Amino acid sequence: MPQFRVPSAIPGFGLTYGFVWLYLAIVILIPLGAVVLFASSLGPVKLYALLTRSDTFAALRLSFGLSLIAAAVNAVFGLIVAWVLTRYSFPGRRLLDAAVDLPFALPTAVAGIALTAIYAPNGWIGSLFAQGSVWASWFGPLKIAYTPLGIFVALVFIGLPFVVRTLQPVLSDLDKELEEASATLGAKRSVTLFKVVLPTVFPALLTGFALAFARAVGEYGSVIFIAGNIPGVSEIAPLLIITRLEQFDYAGATAIATAMLVLSFFILLLVNLTEAWSRKRLGHVR
Amino acid sequence: MSADAALALGPSSGLSEPVRLPSPVTESRLAQIALIAIAVAFLAFFLLLPLIAVFAEALRRGVNAYFASFTDPDTLSAIWLTVVVAAIAVPLNIVFGLAASWAIAKFDFKGKSFLLSLIDLPFSVSPVVAGMCYVLLFGAQGYFGHWLDSHNLQIIFAIPGLVLATIFVTFPFVARELIPLMQEQGTSEEEASLSLGAGGFRTFWSVTLPNVRWALLYGVLLCNARAMGEFGAVSVVSGHLRGLTNTIPLQVEILYNEYNFVAAFAVASVLASLGLVTLAIKSGLEWRYGDQISAAHRH
């Protein structure tokens, strides 16, 4: 008979293992189970009807669309930041490295009101694009806060550390011999970077992208202040869940939550598969 | 470029002085400077500016207005409530983190990776959905709403709901710091201690715990900062009753929505300071005890 666990001289397995499952059950399994139960009691037809309501559909499209764009921007700039932090030495590098964690350290509501203050038409950056600015005289005024553009800014803010922190260990473990071999064989530095380094870190980049994306889809605090929350235009899915709950429309809220959970799950699954494929193709450990 | 010229000439070009060749595995100086400039600008623009804005806005009307913001009784009770919620949630999560890391790191059993991904689950669930779970369970029209009501118990719109929602979003922090480190350390020291006659608890207390103390502190700091700053999950279950169920982040929202910007940013600056102190201690721990905290740092 296959064993459940390898015998060990160390005591305390039953106690800790049991406690962990008890805690998980109370804190997340039963609560998430309630969502699944509620969603399944609605049935697929009702769920579909709830999700295709125009305001719900618009909110989901906005949340997922903007999160994708923000995660993509973070992947590009996160890669540059991670590269600079691991490969170069320059004054202030450690400070910059610590600053990457700011979105984790700053509570979301605090980040939200701060971003709104900066990007509002009278804010430090918002005023550079508002009516009467140099930008406005050339291209017309650009409103950042209280539009989807503002949501995008907030989502970039909260997503960046996921990309940087996922890439950093991979970049610092990177085998320099590969790059040296490439250089010896006559490749220019740019060719080495794009044909040797980038494919090697691609799985990690994808993981960082997915983490930033998943976080952005569910983000609430840093977005609602800057979003303006105009239904159908700048109303994100998590806010719509709260609105539904406040109206005691549990079915409506559950439908949105289910869509978010399922779509996030599939994206993470897709990323895991791509990662496994790329690992197999390139044959390296990470 | 001169560097390329030097490379083309090579060391045997007859120059009397040794030529410093550029490293073949790094970018040209110019590209480096450009990349550093992009990274610095991006971080300053997106990350540092909001932090500066919090303090600038809080002090906009001077120091007196800043401190006057903290005489509001609702704000004071929000601060007190936040401390109470964190004081319940964080110790519970420490116990969970220690138990989970002991079970996962010191034993081999089936379904370990499944358990690990369950522990990571809160990172991929929206805080709003986390809060919603408890409303579905304990809300007025939730599964247990009727029963709770008839027994005069309240979870949603009361402190128990705040604590539950906070635990949901913060419980992985301690466990995630401890598990990789304890896996790396293995079981030999514990086995030695046991074979010398120490009991299980004694072994944990005097062998395992000292080995992971910095990682534990690190995890507790992150857990506490998130617990005090959590907004989305708490917002759903709080009901926003002034002076009763408002934590600091919710008080910030109320003040902000009332256009009381100085007070909103002043209260926010307390949370920002907490975040900065956490970040400073965390960075200090990483530089000083990096090897004792282990490499896996993603959150």
Side-chain angles (χ1 to χ4, degrees), chain A residues 48-89:
Chain A
Y48 182 79
L50 285 167
L51 284 176
T52 42
R53 274 179 62 169
S54 65
D55 54 345
T56 307
F57 188 74
L60 284 170
R61 197 180 50 193
L62 182 75
S63 276
F64 279 91
L66 282 177
S67 300
L68 268 179
I69 302 172
V73 169
N74 272 329
V76 173
F77 284 95
L79 181 61
I80 295 177
V81 170
W83 182 261
V84 163
L85 288 178
T86 38
R87 280 302 178 93
Y88 304 157
S89 67

Side-chain angles (χ1 to χ4, degrees), chain A residues 116-277:
Chain A
T116 313
I118 295 170
Y119 290 94
N122 60 352
W124 292 340
I125 294 178
S127 62
L128 300 178
F129 298 97
Q131 194 78 54
S133 65
V134 181
W135 171 279
S137 65
W138 283 87
F139 306 104
L142 177 70
K143 218 174 155 197
I144 301 176
Y146 319 123
T147 69
L149 193 58
I151 304 177
F152 164 77
V153 170
L155 295 182
V156 170
F157 171 83
I158 50 132
L160 183 73
F162 289 94
V163 177
V164 178
R165 292 297 181 236
T166 312
L167 280 172
Q168 267 179 323
V170 181
L171 283 177
S172 62
D173 282 359
L174 212 59
D175 205 346
K176 271 213 167 169
E177 281 171 15
L178 286 175
E179 292 168 58
E180 282 165 3
S182 166
T184 320
L185 293 170
K188 276 201 283 197
R189 185 62 188 158
S190 55
V191 175
T192 304
L193 282 180
F194 282 98
K195 296 237 159 137
V196 176
V197 176
L198 196 60
T200 318
V201 300
F202 189 72
L205 187 62
L206 206 63
T207 309
F209 170 84
L211 290 172
F213 174 76
R215 171 71 198 264
V217 170
E219 180 57 23
Y220 176 69
S222 56
V223 174
I224 50 152
F225 295 100
I226 203 169
N229 307 327
I230 304 155
V233 178
S234 57
E235 191 179 39
I236 54 166
L239 177 67
L240 203 56
I241 291 183
I242 291 192
T243 312
R244 296 270 191 272
L245 286 176
E246 279 169 357
Q247 297 159 346
F248 294 102
D249 178 6
Y250 288 6
T254 307
I256 303 168
T258 311
M260 285 170 61
L261 287 173
V262 169
L263 279 169
S264 303
F265 174 78
F266 273 112
I267 281 153
L268 289 177
L269 189 73
L270 198 72
V271 165
N272 273 325
L273 291 177
T274 322
E275 223 179 284
W277 170 79

Side-chain angles (χ1 to χ4, degrees), chain A residues 1-35:
Chain A
M1 205 183 112
Q3 275 177 314
F4 165 61
R5 83 176 167 97
V6 180
S8 160
I10 294 172
F13 178 75
L15 180 72
T16 52
Y17 188 76
F19 177 78
V20 166
W21 274 108
L22 179 72
Y23 198 87
L24 285 176
I26 295 172
V27 175
I28 66 163
L29 294 180
I30 294 173
L32 282 177
V35 178

Side-chain angles (χ1 to χ4, degrees), chain A residues 4 23 27 88 101 189 218, chain B residues 27 93 108 110 126 134 282:
Chain A
F4 165 61
Y23 198 87
V27 175
Y88 304 157
D101 275 337
R189 185 62 188 158
Chain B
E27 291 73 51
N93 286 338
D108 271 317
K110 287 222 167 85
S126 168
Y134 295 107
K282 176 176 161 299

